[in-house]
Amino acid sequence: MHISNIRKNDFIFKFSNPTLNLLDSNQSTLSIDKWNFLSNLVRCFDENSGYKFVADFIEEQSALPLKLRFKYSSVNPFFASMMSKVQLVFEKNRDFLLLSQHDRTVLLKNTVEYTATIGGMFILRQSRLLDDFSFSQSAEMIFQPSGMIFIKRVIDQFDSDDTFIKLILTILAFATINYTVYRKNIQINLTNMKVILPIQDMYTELTWQYLVDKYGHLQAVKRFSNLLKCLFSVTKAIVEVHQVQKFTDIINSIIEQTEETNF
């Protein structure tokens, strides 16, 4: 299947923010301040996660003859740029910017594999790029067929609510977690855990309130339960692709770029 019919405007249009619908219809139980905070968070994601970059890439490739579209030489740098742009979302977060330079660096290095990988998978789902046979083949050359099996499995498990995923990505950006994948020279000690934990709690509470407000308590529980299953699949995917040098090169490049431009 080819996705030549996907155009820039069609792709960008998909990301219009649906989170204000409940508020506009006076059905929301969230406060105005929380809805504004949520809307700003989603807007930050939409403006900084590289949607336009992906849309431009699709349009550029769609203009080529079929045999020349989504070749490895184009898809390889695309993944590096896309995952790097997704990471910008968290670097622009106001709570992240309020942390000390040391703690920002520690969080970045400890969470980048999750945030950049899940964010990249999310963009792939939205763009439907993996529906294109040529793109999928090139992706397999980068992450290996076994890695792409895990990646596609995660994408299939994603919740259908885009706002929920964006909130979860924000929570993960502040997660004080350790990986099942060992990496050298990673600092794990935060200087001020008491500042970071309330940030985690705030975003987690907002996510829960958003789900309950929109879907009710039972569906909120089910969606969080499915999220845990999805995160287990994410960990398996990261372990699998971590064996691929190109993946580790992308992650290391994101860290280096971030340190050079922000720290």
Side-chain angles (χ1 to χ4, degrees), residues 19-20 22-24 26-40 206 209 213:
T19 59
L20 293 179
L22 289 175
L23 182 61
D24 293 340
N26 295 318
Q27 297 177 7
S28 175
T29 58
L30 288 175
S31 67
I32 297 293
D33 287 343
K34 287 187 176 180
W35 270 109
N36 287 337
F37 183 78
L38 176 59
S39 297
N40 289 334
L206 177 62
Q209 289 178 333
D213 189 86

Side-chain angles (χ1 to χ4, degrees), residues 244-259:
V244 180
Q245 185 62 44
K246 290 185 178 66
F247 174 77
T248 56
D249 288 344
I250 290 173
I251 296 300
N252 290 334
S253 175
I254 292 173
I255 293 174
E256 291 173 5
Q257 289 178 33
T258 303
E259 290 181 326

Side-chain angles (χ1 to χ4, degrees), residues 139-150:
E140 287 186 357
M141 293 175 65
I142 299 169
F143 301 110
Q144 301 300 314
S146 58
M148 288 308 301
I149 289 174
F150 282 97

Side-chain angles (χ1 to χ4, degrees), residues 84-135:
S84 178
K85 290 180 182 298
V86 168
Q87 188 63 28
L88 279 175
V89 173
F90 315 109
E91 296 162 20
K92 299 286 186 181
N93 182 285
R94 70 176 190 182
D95 294 302
F96 184 79
L97 293 173
L98 290 174
L99 299 176
S100 68
Q101 177 178 330
H102 172 83
D103 286 351
R104 293 201 307 271
T105 302
V106 171
L107 281 177
L108 167 70
K109 292 182 177 180
N110 284 346
T111 65
V112 63
E113 285 183 337
Y114 267 88
T115 53
T117 301
I118 298 175
M121 292 177 185
F122 176 63
I123 298 296
L124 288 178
R125 185 188 76 169
Q126 299 302 89
S127 63
R128 305 201 310 274
L129 276 167
L130 289 177
D131 290 348
D132 186 276
F133 180 73
S134 297
F135 182 91

Side-chain angles (χ1 to χ4, degrees), residues 109-250:
K109 292 182 177 180
N110 284 346
T111 65
V112 63
E113 285 183 337
Y114 267 88
T115 53
T117 301
I118 298 175
M121 292 177 185
F122 176 63
I123 298 296
L124 288 178
R125 185 188 76 169
Q126 299 302 89
S127 63
R128 305 201 310 274
L129 276 167
L130 289 177
D131 290 348
D132 186 276
F133 180 73
S134 297
F135 182 91
S136 186
Q137 275 194 319
S138 294
E140 287 186 357
M141 293 175 65
I142 299 169
F143 301 110
Q144 301 300 314
S146 58
M148 288 308 301
I149 289 174
F150 282 97
I151 289 172
K152 291 177 179 178
R153 186 176 299 164
V154 171
I155 292 174
D156 289 340
Q157 289 180 308
F158 274 155
D159 194 276
S160 60
D161 189 319
D162 295 346
T163 298
F164 178 40
I165 295 177
K166 294 170 186 177
L167 284 165
I168 293 303
L169 280 166
T170 305
I171 294 172
L172 290 175
F174 291 96
T176 51
I177 56 178
N178 292 322
Y179 287 99
T180 54
V181 175
Y182 173 75
R183 289 189 290 147
K184 297 180 180 179
N185 303 321
I186 297 297
Q187 292 178 299
I188 61 173
N189 295 321
L190 296 160
T191 58
N192 199 342
M193 182 71 76
K194 291 182 179 180
V195 172
I196 296 174
L197 290 179
I199 296 174
Q200 295 176 3
D201 292 342
M202 175 186 66
Y203 284 112
T204 303
E205 181 181 0
L206 177 62
T207 303
W208 173 252
Q209 289 178 333
Y210 166 75
L211 288 179
V212 172
D213 189 86
K214 189 170 183 179
Y215 301 106
H217 185 273
L218 179 59
Q219 280 299 316
V221 171
K222 288 182 177 180
R223 287 173 183 267
F224 256 110
S225 177
N226 290 334
L227 167 69
L228 294 177
K229 296 177 183 177
C230 181
L231 290 179
F232 281 124
S233 296
V234 169
T235 299
K236 292 178 182 178
I238 290 176
V239 170
E240 184 68 26
V241 299
H242 200 274
Q243 303 175 49
V244 180
Q245 185 62 44
K246 290 185 178 66
F247 174 77
T248 56
D249 288 344
I250 290 173

